[in-house]
Amino acid sequence: MDIAADERFKTRDARRQNYTALDDALAPTFRTRTRSDWLQLLEAHDVPVAPLQDIAQALADPQVSHLHLMEEVEHPVAGKMKFVGPPVRYSNFAEEPSLPPPLLGEHTAAVLRELGYRDKAIEELRSQRVI
């Protein structure tokens, strides 16, 4: 099969629409080598490439450590959480400490106030179990 000549894959939109067929066509070839082998081969041919990492791999990446990108916060339910922080830092801006992800509904009232709702209206929504 000549994938380059296949109309289903000629444009980015066509590849998106036919992703499953493209994946099915390419997967057998990609299974012939390891991820590391493919990265080396593509880099050797000047193809911009980087591995896709899951959270654990990203946290273990030496660059994350070297650049001090690892952040840790205490979540009220989940306990200690580690994540990769923002990759860009500006010298003239004070860094705010990262916060844990909010609990469900934790910021609902504040958001509604910003939208112009008054406390009485928010309480009414809460009593009606809308929020």
Side-chain angles (χ1 to χ4, degrees):
M1 167 192 248
D2 184 4
I3 291 177
D6 193 317
E7 289 296 322
R8 297 174 299 167
F9 312 134
K10 282 204 174 211
T11 67
R12 181 172 20 159
D13 286 339
R15 288 189 295 275
R16 282 185 188 153
Q17 291 171 355
N18 297 289
Y19 175 80
T20 301
L22 181 60
D23 188 48
D24 291 345
L26 295 175
T29 300
F30 283 116
R31 281 195 286 267
T32 64
R33 297 175 187 234
T34 66
R35 177 171 86 164
S36 178
D37 290 342
W38 282 112
L39 290 169
Q40 288 177 0
L41 180 65
L42 292 167
E43 287 171 354
H45 287 86
D46 205 26
V47 176
V49 63
L52 182 61
Q53 298 181 326
D54 62 24
I55 298 295
Q57 291 167 328
L59 291 174
D61 189 297
Q63 264 315 84
V64 171
S65 176
H66 173 74
L67 296 172
H68 307 288
L69 296 177
M70 176 98 63
E71 294 196 18
E72 192 173 295
V73 296
E74 186 72 34
H75 190 275
V77 175
K80 283 189 180 180
M81 300 178 76
K82 291 182 181 181
F83 58 94
V84 178
V88 177
R89 298 202 168 125
Y90 299 98
S91 59
N92 292 334
F93 290 96
E95 281 190 40
E96 297 286 327
S98 294
L99 301 172
L103 298 171
L104 182 62
E106 183 176 348
H107 301 303
T108 301
V111 170
L112 289 173
R113 282 187 199 98
E114 284 184 33
L115 293 172
Y117 285 81
R118 298 187 185 253
D119 287 341
K120 185 176 178 182
I122 294 170
E123 284 307 314
E124 189 173 321
L125 290 171
R126 188 171 283 123
S127 71
Q128 294 173 0
R129 300 181 62 105
V130 173
I131 59 169

